[in-house]
Structures are given as structure tokens and as C-alpha cells.
Amino acid sequence: MAQVRALVITGYGTNCEMEMAYACRRAGAMCDIVHISDIISGTYAISDYHFLNLAGGFLDGDDLGSAQVESVRLKHARIKNTGKTLFEELLSFIEKGMLILGVCNGFQALVKTGLLPGNPFGRRRVSLTFNDSAKFEDRWVRLSINENSPCIFTRTMDHIFLPVRHGEGKFVCDGPETLEEIQAMNLDALYYADKAYMPTMEYPENPNGSVQAIAGICDNTGRIFGLMPHPEAFAHATNHPSWTRMETLPTQGEGMVFFDNAVKFLRGIL
Amino acid sequence: MPYRLEVGLKPGLFDARGERTKRQILHAFPNLPADLQIVSLDVYTIEADDFPYELLSEAFCDPVIQNMTINEPLTLDFDWYIEIGFKPGVTDNVGHSAGYALRLITGRDHPVYSARAYLIRGTLTRAAATAIAEECLANGLIQYSRIIDPQELSAIKPYIPVVSLDSTPRVEDLSLELSNSILAQLSQERTLALTVDELKTISAYLRDPAIQQHRSTVGLGAKITDVELECLAQTWSEHCKHKIFNAEIDYEENGSHEKIVSLFKSYIQKSTAEIREKAGDDDLCVSVFTDNAGVIRFNDEYNLVFKVETHNSPSALDPYGGALTGIVGVNRDPFGTGIGSKLIFNTDVFCFADPYFSEKLPPKILHPIRIFEGVREGVEHGGNKSGIPTVNGCIVFDNRYLGKPLVYCGTAGIMPAIINGKPSHEKTILPGDLIVMSGGRIGKDGIHGATFSSEEFHEASPTSAVQIGDPITQKKLTDFLLRARDKDLYRAITDNGAGGLSSSVGEMAQLSGGCRIELDKPPLKYQGLSPWEILLSEAQERMTLAVPSERIEEFVELSRQMDVESTVIGEFTDTGYFHCTYGESTVAYLGLDFLHAGLAPMRLSARWEDISQPDPPTPVPDDHNTMLARLLARLNICSKEYVIRQYDHEVQGGSVIKPLVGVSCDGPSDAAVIRPLLDSAQGVVVSNGIIPRYSDIDTYHMTACALDEALRNYICVGGDPEHWACLDNFCWCDPVTSEKNPDGAYKLAQLVRANKALYFYTKAYNCPLISGKDSMKNDYVGPDTKISIPPTILVSVIGRMDDVTKAVSMDIKKPGSHLYLLGITKKELGASEYFAEHGIVGSSIPKVDADTAMMRYQKLHTAIMDSRVKAAHDMSDGGLAVSLAEMAFAGGCGIRIELGAVQTEGSLLDTEILYSESPSRIVIEVSKEHAADIERLFGGDARRIGETTTDKNMVVFGQDATILIDQDLDTLMKAWKEPLDL
């Protein structure tokens, strides 16, 4: 069986690299945590991997808006030995049919760089802005899954329970056409949901006021996926906020499904 | 001309920040019209003039949601424009990131200054708009504000807060051969916080012919340089030297006298030494009291590092910056312990005055709501952005914190016990090792922080003592240094906190036997700083390292690659001298012995008297339903969810027991459990105890109760009582008698008693103190008011549990379980929340019986490890009634309680059983099938006081079987949740 090679990029304010790598390894991939300066210096190459993870954090402090500076870095910082920008490197990675998962700040980076929803790559068509509450909040939310979505990561699931931990997670589009396109192509893979797992606009079940309750989107191949909730924060059963109420403890956290799906898909194509 | 950019949301989008600002404004000015509209804008000023719009837009504008204009207003549709930006020299993190973004695009450096603007729509006078700006939005110490009408805005000029110091760096020679009054004046004028006696110790040193001869070899004379004097003042400050804790004290109690030589040595250090000796091979302490933080064993391969600090004085001046600096500052303590640890969690405990305080504020004091919100946000940004989960904490309210809020911030780290074949908790430095400063640059930030915090807060307190932390610079620094550590690129590390380089290098120099610092080498934020300022600056995000010369190249190269500035600023020596040069000249040359041990201990008097008034008859309420709701709504008891949710408590992925638990994730957890090693089931348990109200009666029992509270919280979640350690953090009011502080001897006696209790009870619980901190001058002195905080101790406990899947939370799990109360309830309502609700203090302070409590805790731990306990919750503020209500509504499950079953000392009124705060008591929920096991294990110490029910009510029967409380859980929870839902 082919070894799936996962990469978690860190540095400049990324915070969730450890648990992201833990989830990748638990799913059966080998995984390196690589500082972005090591990619720019040419010590590590994105092209050596199959599964790229952009983890949560506060890149550059989110000081000009979440992941705003990261989008500038991806488009302008050049890799030493090849002279290519990180963005160009990502495009070749995508072209090869590999997977990208962006969580929270990583999702914000994908969106601000125009890798999600794509069509075309590089143009920013949606954004993630301040929660309607204007507060950073750490809370667990119910999520329902768009079963018609091409998303690789959410296959075989219809709902999931995960924590959100952000101040800028409100999903917005640059206009009604973009939203219609996203919905028509089922790129809206994940919704904030109520107790009956129906998409909801009610706070706090929808923690930020995202349009159409959208919590995560993919590109039209389903291989690039970004979401505000943290699947890597529920890799272990004891991450569940009320696991002490369970009669028996599951062997792993629900968030592992995304990583299991990714590794399974890659094993199928490698 | 420089660019001035305005960036704002596109029309039609909801302006969440504007709405939140509006709520804050209306909270501060309730008489303003509620239909006021606030629109928020970001403003950037850039010192450049040749950028195309597209370039600036890419860096500063999100085209999906924002519009941007250059050198013209986005709109003139408003009544007032208020711009808030930083004054020159104040850390501007957004501006810093903006400059970085421009550098990525252009490859050039362009200074960028950020500001926030608010457009106000509504009928307001200029005076009202000014009041909003000055009293609600800006902090005049660090920020400017401009209030502008639409006409003026069209012609607005960019404001560039650039630092221009017209002073040239210079070194001043000072004679200390002066009269006492002139010496006192010198100390005050320079914020030295040195006493006349201390200054005379220095002048005696300078008169020593041998010293004079040594000084002449480096070109210094009999006068002291300002660099030396400032350095001594820092090193000898109360903040750094803990003079009160090391003083010789004459303690008087009931007419008998006791001589105490150093509270620290006699009680704190002694307790730990005795516990360690008793433990022998099982000693879990690895490094105590010697480094920036305490180190204990976690398992055979890893050690835990823990430290809690306070940042009170800066938080009084600038709550946001003070608290932000507090949290990122304490991060550097475990990070700078041994050769450095990876940070795994933060804790925070705040003490504030009532956020709804409505009386007139004394001069220079910010309203408690501004302190609350500023501190909350500072810790939010510091913790969240650094990626360290804030897992445990609490907030205490008392109006005596009006003058100085207390901001306790704690951080723990983990490190492999052995790194590169060497014990990681040890630092070594060899003569010839280079002194390297890594991280941020030096400015005037925080100069005199250490001496300032060693004084009371007064109207003329210096504003240069304020700094603002920069979590991202620090994150880059810690990413870099952990890697350098693992590559063995340095030998020792410590942080730059209070006292800056004078303190960090001064302490490290003891390891090699001397140092030589070149004060013209450290990189500066702006020119014009004098050598003494460079030495003392408390500019943030800097670590000092000892790098062997053969590793320096690799160290600097890795640093450069990871975007961190590192500079060689001198070398460690074995000359015995703390030597500083500036250019060609020596500007300081002090014997290390004199610097660190030249100060004679203070001599102080302490006199204890019991001033408490006997309890009045216990007031009995007409209706306990109402009384319980009132207690649940008290600020010290009510839900802190508003704050907790804004702190990331799960980052790093190891969260096991969160601060909010229960069926709806909103019950108050007793303690936190995390898994620092994701592939291991071993957990770290952390808890805290703090109960300053009890100081009104006796600090001895206050301290005992704070420790007991921390320990029983720890036990409740499943922490192992064989593997725990604790930290003490004293925040006191001035205990040194003087003209303006006539009751110093009593306050010092309170301090002595707290130490006696700490010694006795840490030993009784076999829980070693591993580190701590004291902050002794928490008083506010205004023109006609003096406010002293109640003596406050925070005890923070850290320890281990072997298997986190055995952890227990406090919420009731299911109907049909038995509820047991462990421990005895006494008539102990002195200084309780119940008495406070009636305006009573009384004297019946809760007292800890450590021997029985320890047996109880050990048994409970056994029961939890045997999975016999479904829920456990400790009794604290508000007593049994409050704790039971919390368990019930957190679990969404009814309970039925019979007070007649409670074990009491003598006969107590129902009211007393419900609200007494007797310590060491815990309620546990036990399945019926395990009842016999529990009863066998605990014997008479566990009393079955009730059961869980299928309805959603809390029902309590009195001793005569009448119903005292019958309330639905939603009502109770609502009462508990409302007060701080800001």
C-alpha cells in the first residue's frame, strides 16, 4: 500500500500544527510539520507530499484581517531554488490531483488567496469576516453535511459535532452569483445546524452569522476543502465536551473521519 | 506626502465591530440616544508616496467586503469622525504587520501606522463626542484621539506618530555624598524606589578604596554612573529582590514575640525542603525556586514547568496592554526555564471591582468595566494568538480592587527531561559564551516597570511603565528558539521581563562569574536612547541567551531564516564584574557580589490582633428559593461563561476536562485536565484556589482555605494526590509601616500568618511549593482616598492523572443516582458569600482540618480511579446550596436533598447547612450499584443526602422535612447566567 505523505505547514502564527499532524498520523499517513521558512528556503518541497494541511492559528496576528498577510505572502514570497511563488507551487500541487485541507485560519488563507471556491484560482470571491457577535468564541457546534457535495473529506457522513474557535468566521460572498454558483455546484459542503441537524441562522447554533449557514466549502473537484470548525480538535474521544456523560467511550473522535477519508482517497489514487 | 488610507465595510454589510462599540458606548453613556449609529473604519498611514492603488489594495483591503480610499474620506455621511491611534513609541502591532505585508510585496521597508476610526451618526455635541472618545474609546496614556466633523475630514492630514527624541545618548555621573533629604528626592525623581539607607549602602561601596582602585582601571571615578544607579535600583527593587519576603521580622502575637529571618526561607522554602526529604526517591520536584519557573516530573521522559505572575500596576494604567503583556510575559518564564520548555496551557485569575460600580471614581482610576473589558481582551489576544489554551481561572470581585486590579497570568510548559544528552532543567554558562538578545527591539517601553510596581499607584505614576505585548513576534521567537534548543545551539536562556537586560544578563552572569555588555549593540526601535535606558527597557518579546562562540554562526543563520532578529551584545566572563560599555567607554562596573548580595535585609515589625467582630445571629430568609437565586447571581458565584468562551481553551488538541462542562456545555468545571502528549493517556491537571474575603477575619485560614480549594478542585476531576505541586502568588497591600501607612505592622502580621498557614498546610497535604511570586504594594493613594486591596493569595495546583479516560466532571449524569456529601458541615459563615449578601463579615471563618481532608481526598481518588464516581463537585462560595444547584443545572437533571442527612458539628439551622462554607467538602454522584462500595470506602465521612430525579427541579427538605427549596433548574440557571452576560 502506498504511503500517504501529509504536510502540515506552520510558522508566523500557525498554532494547531501538532494536533493536525496527530490526526494525519492517526489516519495512517506519515506527516511532517514544516515551518514555512523551510519551504521558502527550499529545504522542504510541497511537491513531495500528497496531503497539504493548513492549520488554525493567527497568521501574522490576523492584524490586517484574518490571513490577509498570508495571502500576500503566498503570492509574493518566492522559493529560493525554483524562484516560484508559494501560490504557483500550490497550483501545481492541485493540478497533480492532491488534497488540501484548510481549517479555521487555514480556511481563511485558502479563501483570501482565491483557492476556494476557485474558478478561477487566485481570485478572491468569498471571504470570512467578523462574527456578528464581534467576539472570538470557543464553542461546539452541530454541523450538517451536504450529501451532494463533491467534497472528498465529508464522504459517508451526514452530520458531525465540532468546536469553532474564531472571531472572523462569518462566510460572505462577493455577490449573489457566487453564492448561487456555490450552491448549484454543491461546493457548500458543511452547514451550521440546529438540534434537528437542519442548517440554521440562529445564534449561537450558527456562531457567526454565515450566509446560508455555510461552515465550509470545497472546490469543484472536492479535493480542496476549507472549514471554520476544527476536526483535528476532535481526534480523541475525550475531546468531546461532554464525553464524561457517555456510557462507553468511542475509540476515536468524530473529527477523524475527515482525515480518514483523505487518506483513503489518496491510497486509492497513489 | 504620506498616504492616508481609509478601509471600511461595503454598504449593506453588518458592521459587527461597530455594533459592539456602540454597546460599549451606551453602557458608559446610558443617556445617549439608543438609535446612535456607529460605523467602524481602519485607517493606515504610510510613509511613502509612489504606490499604485492596486498594490495598497492587495495589502490592506478585502475586496469581497471592503472599500478603500487613498487620501480622501470613504464617506461624509456622518456627524462625527473619531480617530483613535497610538501615541509615538507605543507598540503598534497592526502597523507592524502592515509594514511587513508591504515589504513582502515591494521588498522595501515602509513604516505604517494603524488607527481605528468610528463614524458616529446621531445628534451629539462635540463635547459629547469628545467624552465618548476619551472616556470610552481611547486610553489617553497610550493613544491619541481626534474628533472631527465632516467638513474638517475633507481636509484631514495624516497623523504620523513617529518618535523623535532630540536628546543625544549620554551618561551622567552622580554623587551620592548628599544629605538624606536630597537622596530621598533623587530616588523619587528618578523613580528608583530606593530608600535612603539603600542609597547610603551604595555610597559606602563607592568609598571603599579597593573598589575605587578597580573602578579607575576601567576609567570610572568615585561617582556612580546613571547606568549603575539605575541597574542597582532595578536589581534591588522589591519586585526583583523580594525584600519584604527576605526581611527580618519581629512578629508579635498576644504579647509574645517571635523573630523570623526571611518568610521565604522559614516557611515556603522550608516546607518544600521537608516534603522533598520525606519523599526520598519519590521526590517529584526537579527544580524549585531557582529558575524562572518551578519544574516537576511528569513521567520518566518529560518534566512540567509552571509559573504564575501578576501584572497589576500596568493593568491599572492600561488594562489591555497591561494584561496582554502579563500573559505573553509569563509565557516567557517557563519558556526561559532550564533550556526552555514548550508551552502547553495558560491560566488566568482576575480580581476586579464591581463592573456596575456607580459611585464617583477617584482621580486616574479607570472604571471597573473598562478594566474588566481591557484585561479580558488583553489576555484573549495574548493567549489565543500564541496558540496556548487558557484552561483554568476565575474572577473575584471586591470593590477594594478599584485602585489596583489584580491580573494573575500563569503558564505551564513541558520539556523532555533530557535534551541532547543533558538535563533540560539546568543552565550552564562558560566564560567566553556570547550574550545574545533575540526577538523584539528596544525602545522606551516599560522603563522603570520594576521600580514602579514596587511603589503604590499614585496620580503621577509614570506612563512610560506601560508596554503592549506582541504575540506574533513572540510566536516567531519561540518557534525559532525551540528549534535552536533541539539543535543544541545555545547553552542557557532567560527572559527579559522586569528590569530588562540589567536583570536578565545580571542573573545569568552569576553562572559564569561576570559579563560585559556592549550597550551600543542592541537594535533599537528609534534612536536617542541613553545607555541606562537600553539596559533597563522592558520592551517585550526578548530572550537573552548564552551562545557558545562556535555555534553563533548557525544560531544567527537559523534566526535570520525564521525572520527573528538576534544580536550579539557582549560576552559572559569570569571577572566577577557586571561590566557595561558604550562605544569605547565603560559606563557600568559593579561587583556581582555587591549587585546581588550587597543589600542588608530589611528589619520590620509585625503585630497581629484579632479585630474580627463575633457573628450576629444567622439571618434566616423568608424564602430560600429567592435567596438561592440571589446567591447564584452574586458576582463571585455567577457564570463567567462570557469570558471563558472568548478564550481558546482547546488549541493544541489535548483538552479533556474543559472549563465549561455538562449537558449544554455551560456548567462550571472544578479544574482542567489536558493531554499534553497527544499519543499518551496521561493527563496534566490544573486548578486554583483564591478567597480574599476571608482575609477580613484571618489570613491564616484564608490561606489554608485557598490551598484546600485548589486541592479539592484538583481531586474532583481525578487528579492524583500523590503527584501534585503548587505555586503561591501573594498580592498584598503595603506591609511596611510609614507615615502614610500607619497599619503596616498589622498587614505584615497578616502576611506572616499566611506564610505560617502555607507552611503547615502544604506539608500536611504533602504538596510542595515549587515557585511563586509576590506583589506587595497594591494600594492606591489619591488626594483624599487610599484604597488597599484585601490581602490576596492565589494558589495554583499542577499535577498528573495517569489515565484521562477516568476523569470526572461536575455535572449530574443521570436520574436515579445517589448523592453523597463527603465531609462535615460546621457553622462557618464568617466572611461567606451568604453573610456578604447581608452585609455581615462576622468571625466564624472556615477552618481546614487537613488530616481528615487528606484521607478523604485519597479515598475519593481511589473511587474515581475505580470508576465509582459519576460526578464530583466541591463546595465553595455560597456553600452546599450553590454547589448542588450548579451540579443539577449543569447536568439538566433534577435533585432531591434532605438536609437532615447532612453530617454537622453540633446543631445547625437549615440556613447554616445550606450556606456555610466549611472547606474540604465534596458532593459526589454515585450509581446505586456502587453505593455499597462508596459507603464501605468512606464509612461515616460520606452521607447520602439525596438522589437525582427524572424531573428538572431542585428540591431541598429541611431537617424537619419541610420543603425549603423547590425551584426549576432553568430559573436557577438563568439567575446564575445573567449578571455577567455582557
Side-chain angles (χ1 to χ4, degrees), chain A residues 97-133:
Chain A
M98 300 296 120
L99 298 188
I100 302 181
L101 175 62
V103 173
C104 196
N105 204 207
F107 180 29
Q108 291 161 341
L110 288 173
V111 153
K112 303 247 165 143
T113 318
L115 290 174
L116 279 178
N119 190 25
F121 285 133
R123 195 167 97 212
R124 195 185 297 188
R125 303 174 62 201
V126 303
S127 194
L128 293 153
T129 184
F130 291 102
N131 298 350
D132 278 352
S133 67

Side-chain angles (χ1 to χ4, degrees), chain B residues 196-216:
Chain B
V196 169
D197 284 346
E198 287 162 352
L199 284 164
K200 287 186 155 174
T201 304
I202 300 173
S203 56
Y205 169 80
L206 292 168
R207 277 198 299 271
D208 183 335
I211 296 300
Q212 290 193 353
Q213 203 254 323
H214 279 293
R215 289 175 72 79
S216 67

Side-chain angles (χ1 to χ4, degrees), chain B residues 134 138-143 191 311-325 352 363-367 370-372 374-375 401-407 446-453 455-468 779-780:
Chain B
E134 290 176 358
N139 181 346
L141 285 181
I142 53 162
Q143 291 167 315
T191 322
H311 222 225
N312 309 332
S313 306
S315 302
L317 290 169
D318 171 21
Y320 174 80
L324 172 57
T325 309
F352 297 139
K364 214 172 175 177
I365 284 182
L366 295 173
H367 190 276
R370 287 195 75 182
I371 304 253
F372 180 114
V375 167
Y401 296 114
L402 189 67
K404 259 200 194 178
L406 303 185
V407 178
I447 284 176
H448 283 148
T451 48
F452 156 58
S453 68
E455 295 183 329
E456 79 278 5
F457 180 34
H458 51 80
E459 271 191 285
S461 293
T463 58
S464 66
V466 175
Q467 327 99 317
I468 296 180
D779 307 88
Y780 165 85

Side-chain angles (χ1 to χ4, degrees), chain A residues 11-16 18-19 22 35 37-38 41 58 60-61 63-64 68-69 72-73 76 112 124-127 129-140 163 165 170 172-174 236 238-239 241-245 249, chain B residues 14 16-17 20 44 58-59 61-62 64-65 93-94 97 100-101 104-105 380 384-387 472 475 479 483 561-563 645-653 655-656 658 662-663 665 675 678 804-805 807 809 811-813 891:
Chain A
Y12 293 90
T14 292
N15 292 328
C16 301
M18 299 283 293
E19 55 268 43
Y22 171 71
H35 197 276
S37 68
D38 281 327
S41 72
F58 285 83
D60 309 281
D63 283 334
L64 307 183
Q68 173 77 11
V69 179
V72 173
R73 183 186 292 112
H76 291 274
K112 303 247 165 143
R124 195 185 297 188
R125 303 174 62 201
V126 303
S127 194
T129 184
F130 291 102
N131 298 350
D132 278 352
S133 67
K135 285 188 284 199
F136 174 100
E137 285 194 319
D138 178 337
R139 62 166 74 244
W140 284 63
R165 309 190 315 246
K170 180 182 178 179
V172 289
C173 297
D174 60 0
H236 195 274
T238 59
N239 290 141
S242 34
W243 68 270
T244 56
R245 305 183 68 79
L249 205 55
Chain B
F14 178 69
R17 290 189 307 181
R20 190 171 193 185
Y44 302 96
E58 183 185 3
C61 179
D62 181 342
V64 175
I65 53 169
N93 288 326
V94 174
S97 293
Y100 175 74
L104 281 168
I105 301 176
E380 176 197 327
N384 292 358
K385 292 189 178 188
S386 304
I472 291 308
K475 177 82 182 171
D479 282 352
R483 203 145 135 196
Q561 187 202 313
M562 295 179 78
D563 245 337
R645 285 240 178 272
Q646 295 184 72
Y647 294 161
D648 188 335
H649 44 262
E650 311 191 53
V651 62
Q652 300 192 11
S655 167
V656 175
K658 302 181 204 301
V663 66
C665 308
R675 273 181 318 125
L678 293 177
V804 298
T805 64
S809 59
D811 47 306
I812 297 288
K813 300 297 182 301

Side-chain angles (χ1 to χ4, degrees), chain B residues 180 183-184 187 192-202 236 243 599 602 777:
Chain B
N180 287 2
L183 283 175
S187 174
L192 297 175
L194 288 171
T195 63
V196 169
D197 284 346
E198 287 162 352
L199 284 164
K200 287 186 155 174
T201 304
I202 300 173
W236 291 3
K243 290 183 276 199
L599 194 60
M602 288 172 94
K777 308 273 167 139

